[in-house]
Amino acid sequence: MREEDSNWFSKWEEELPSPEELIPLSQSLITPDLAIAFDLHRRNNSENTGQPLPQTTPPQPNSSAEFAGDSTGDEPARTLKRPRLVWTPQLHKRFVDAVAHLGIKNAVPKTIMQLMSVDGLTRENVASHLQKYRLYLKRMQSGGGGGGGGGSVGDSDHLFASSPVPPHFLHPTSRQSSDHFIPSFVPISTQHPAAHLQPPSQFLHRQISAANFNSPTKATEQAMFLARQSQQQPVFRPASLHVHSQVANYAQDLESGAKTVLTLFPTRDD
DNA sequence: GCCCCAATAT
DNA sequence: GATATTGGGG
């Protein structure tokens, strides 16, 4: 039923005290002007090991939607090109969790984008990624599903392979609202290829308090989804949340050396 | 307008 | 190679 869905969704929005409190993890994209600033002051350490960016400007959790920096004060903000979005495993996991949570049925770009609630993430970003992800799933059902065949999915899907694929993705059975797909721990025991992009200190072990989703109501489920993403307790103790907003990392492309790409940096691993 | 898919561009 | 963008169609 749609009604339920829209119900919890609106309730969700109503009940939330404030985005800042609920979603401390809201990942802010850097503004273009900031990017330019960084580009100007860019350090020479190409392959840095530590924190690449000094936080000269405390990013505001909610204003990030506007890239519309008038840094140069001339370009219409909408025309400005955003840097390419880099789908880190963490970001991708968030994507997968969102899709899993919505169920394949409702997993459309717009909805996914909303669920992920990542600042600066556009519908196009999600659509593009979703398209590719679907291909991956398809490839997986035909190739690797049977067992025995050896259809190995190949190593070309590093990113997608980094997050567990919810079982119900692979077999379109009649109904799966996936009411409770537990976005399980991703056993990031080994480092993924993109690990070099992440500061080593970011690797913390993740533990979910299973006690939390004992009796999730529709309303709270959404909150808990987000809470789970941020590896925080639900709204209970907002005081303890460190609100260190994420810094988007503009990394100079190591190979080409000319491109600027945007990496979303979760402060915790997912 | 949103969505999907495929193809093409960067 | 990974994303973004575009185009055709529902």
Side-chain angles (χ1 to χ4, degrees):
Chain A
M1 280 300 204
R2 277 279 170 155
E3 305 163 357
E4 277 191 343
D5 287 355
S6 50
N7 189 25
W8 63 254
F9 197 86
S10 39
K11 279 192 71 172
W12 166 52
E13 285 189 314
E14 289 177 2
E15 296 189 13
L16 292 186
S18 62
E20 299 89 41
E21 292 182 353
L22 213 206
I23 321 173
L25 132 164
S26 96
Q27 312 175 359
S28 315
L29 295 190
I30 210 167
T31 56
D33 33 341
L34 214 48
I36 294 176
F38 280 143
D39 194 57
L40 293 176
H41 304 160
R42 179 174 66 253
R43 297 175 175 183
N44 287 337
N45 53 350
S46 48
E47 181 80 30
N48 59 69
T49 52
Q51 318 302 347
L53 299 180
Q55 293 195 16
T56 52
T57 322
Q60 300 181 0
N62 52 356
S63 71
S64 46
E66 291 295 343
F67 298 156
D70 51 334
S71 58
T72 50
D74 48 332
E75 297 296 335
R78 288 103 200 220
T79 317
L80 281 180
K81 287 185 150 188
R82 325 176 170 236
R84 292 165 68 101
L85 175 65
V86 174
W87 286 88
T88 65
Q90 286 79 11
L91 189 55
H92 173 65
K93 184 183 185 310
R94 207 177 167 81
F95 167 84
V96 172
D97 283 348
V99 174
H101 217 81
L102 289 168
I104 305 209
K105 184 182 164 189
N106 296 326
V108 293
K110 193 179 181 180
T111 317
I112 298 173
M113 179 192 63
Q114 289 169 157
L115 235 193
M116 289 178 70
S117 70
V118 172
D119 282 340
L121 190 65
T122 69
R123 195 180 63 83
E124 282 73 27
N125 288 139
V126 177
S128 181
H129 192 66
L130 178 61
Q131 192 171 359
K132 206 180 152 192
Y133 185 59
R134 280 172 171 150
L135 289 177
Y136 168 74
L137 290 181
K138 185 178 291 183
R139 208 179 319 144
M140 227 185 175
Q141 313 182 53
S142 47
S152 73
V153 212
D155 45 292
S156 47
D157 310 288
H158 292 133
L159 214 204
F160 294 145
S162 70
S163 287
V165 176
H168 53 275
F169 276 23
L170 298 180
H171 53 106
T173 59
S174 46
R175 77 161 278 272
Q176 67 281 131
S177 8
S178 71
D179 280 334
H180 36 51
F181 163 72
I182 299 174
S184 58
F185 50 96
V186 43
I188 319 185
S189 50
T190 57
Q191 320 195 356
H192 29 63
H196 70 280
L197 288 177
Q198 319 286 338
S201 55
Q202 303 290 344
F203 288 96
L204 314 170
H205 25 266
R206 155 185 200 161
Q207 49 182 7
I208 338 174
S209 47
N212 277 340
F213 33 78
N214 275 336
S215 54
T217 68
K218 279 282 183 176
T220 59
E221 186 179 1
Q222 182 59 30
M224 301 210 311
F225 171 82
L226 291 171
R228 247 182 264 133
Q229 302 302 314
S230 52
Q231 197 184 353
Q232 301 285 352
Q233 307 292 336
V235 213
F236 302 141
R237 284 189 62 85
S240 66
L241 302 178
H242 331 179
V243 196
H244 49 201
S245 335
Q246 326 290 332
V247 285
N249 177 33
Y250 275 89
Q252 211 67 27
D253 189 283
L254 306 174
E255 319 265 325
S256 311
K259 303 174 185 173
T260 44
V261 293
L262 175 59
T263 333
L264 294 173
F265 262 60
T267 41
R268 310 149 192 86
D269 64 337
D270 252 310

